[in-house]
Amino acid sequence: MFWNKKKIADIELPDDDKDQRTAYRVKPDQTRPIILTVAGNSYQVDNISGSGCSFRSHKFPEGVHVAGTLKIPSEDIIFPVTVHIVARNRDMCRCEFSKISNYAEDAIHFYVL
């Protein structure tokens, strides 16, 4: 019987020391992107997790806190959020949410999961 077979699979996962994010993240569907609006400009979110997001811009230096809004189109909701730019690689800004309501946090977790 197939469930009695004892196969051991050797799987080795790469250890990427540069990726220090601990939350599961997803890439939004390009036909219904998540939009982050900060400093009067709108950006498509490249990926999002319950603790942060990333987007492309040359405008923001590492370490800055920026207030704005986040729009999740699948739920048709917009809420205020403050992001902290924790790392930048060329034009990719990696952010963590520093000020976010419980409602917004729940909406993001619902979207991600």
Side-chain angles (χ1 to χ4, degrees):
M1 305 230 142
F2 71 90
W3 59 81
N4 288 333
K5 293 180 182 178
K6 301 269 184 185
K7 281 192 172 183
I8 298 174
D10 291 328
I11 299 174
E12 188 174 322
L13 299 175
D15 185 18
D16 187 1
D17 290 335
K18 293 179 264 180
D19 188 3
Q20 297 184 6
R21 293 173 283 188
T22 57
Y24 179 75
R25 58 192 175 274
V26 295
K27 187 170 185 70
D29 183 7
Q30 293 298 315
T31 62
R32 298 195 60 165
I34 294 177
I35 304 296
L36 175 67
T37 303
V38 289
N41 296 308
S42 295
Y43 303 95
Q44 264 187 258
V45 170
D46 188 61
N47 64 53
I48 189 165
S49 73
S51 62
C53 66
S54 65
F55 66 96
R56 295 187 178 279
S57 174
H58 290 287
K59 190 172 183 177
F60 304 100
E62 203 171 290
V64 70
H65 291 263
V66 185
T69 60
L70 193 66
K71 179 182 180 195
I72 299 179
S74 64
E75 302 299 317
D76 291 325
I77 55 174
I78 299 172
F79 46 82
V81 64
T82 299
V83 294
H84 173 222
I85 312 294
V86 294
R88 232 181 100 192
N89 186 1
R90 296 186 191 136
D91 68 337
M92 181 64 74
C93 297
R94 291 182 172 82
C95 312
E96 66 181 11
F97 300 123
S98 60
K99 290 185 185 175
I100 189 168
S101 70
N102 289 339
Y103 171 75
E105 191 173 19
D106 288 345
I108 292 170
H109 282 288
F110 182 77
Y111 177 85
V112 170
L113 297 176

